[in-house]
Amino acid sequence: MIHHSCDGCKRLIDPSQALRYVVRMEIYAATDVNNTDESDDDRDHLAEIQDILEQMDDSESEAIGGEVYQQLRFDLCPQCREKFLSNPISREAVTQLDFSQN
Ligand SMILES: [Zn+2]
């Protein structure tokens, strides 16, 4: 039986006790398409990035490729899911909603 542990708090997620949440993130370099003549809005940016990666030689693409495109995947317990949703990019100053004021 496969046990998953939470990538946030490292606790084991017991499927009979709690739901496991999968977070998938794609981070890729934004390409500015406005300076081309073609108005192909539905162009596949991912394919474009893969083309860039294929054009680079292997030793380079590993280092540069990580900066152009990264995909991350995390398993989270319900508590860490809540935490993640409240601050997905780990902002240092999180704006707290304080309903006791105003
Ligand atoms: Zn957790």
Side-chain angles (χ1 to χ4, degrees):
M1 186 174 166
I2 301 167
H3 287 283
H4 292 277
S5 59
C6 171
D7 286 318
C9 62
K10 305 298 175 192
R11 279 185 301 204
L12 275 179
I13 302 169
D14 182 344
S16 67
Q17 302 280 309
L19 284 171
R20 177 171 61 94
Y21 294 90
V22 176
V23 182
R24 292 179 63 190
M25 285 195 276
E26 278 185 310
I27 305 171
Y28 52 88
T31 54
D32 187 357
V33 295
N34 292 330
N35 56 0
T36 60
D37 295 9
E38 305 153 301
S39 58
D40 47 353
D41 287 342
D42 51 13
R43 170 154 61 164
D44 189 342
H45 290 258
L46 194 52
E48 203 172 275
I49 289 161
Q50 275 163 355
D51 284 347
I52 296 168
L53 295 182
E54 277 166 23
Q55 285 163 21
M56 294 187 287
D57 76 45
D58 286 343
S59 58
E60 258 180 272
S61 67
E62 201 167 314
I64 299 169
E67 290 177 25
V68 175
Y69 179 80
Q70 269 188 310
Q71 192 177 61
L72 307 173
R73 183 186 179 281
F74 303 105
D75 292 314
L76 295 181
C77 70
Q79 286 83 5
C80 290
R81 168 186 170 272
E82 288 295 319
K83 267 194 263 177
F84 177 79
L85 282 174
S86 69
N87 189 12
I89 56 170
S90 300
R91 285 171 296 203
E92 284 188 17
V94 181
T95 307
Q96 298 285 345
L97 294 173
D98 190 344
F99 294 108
S100 68
Q101 291 179 352
N102 299 329

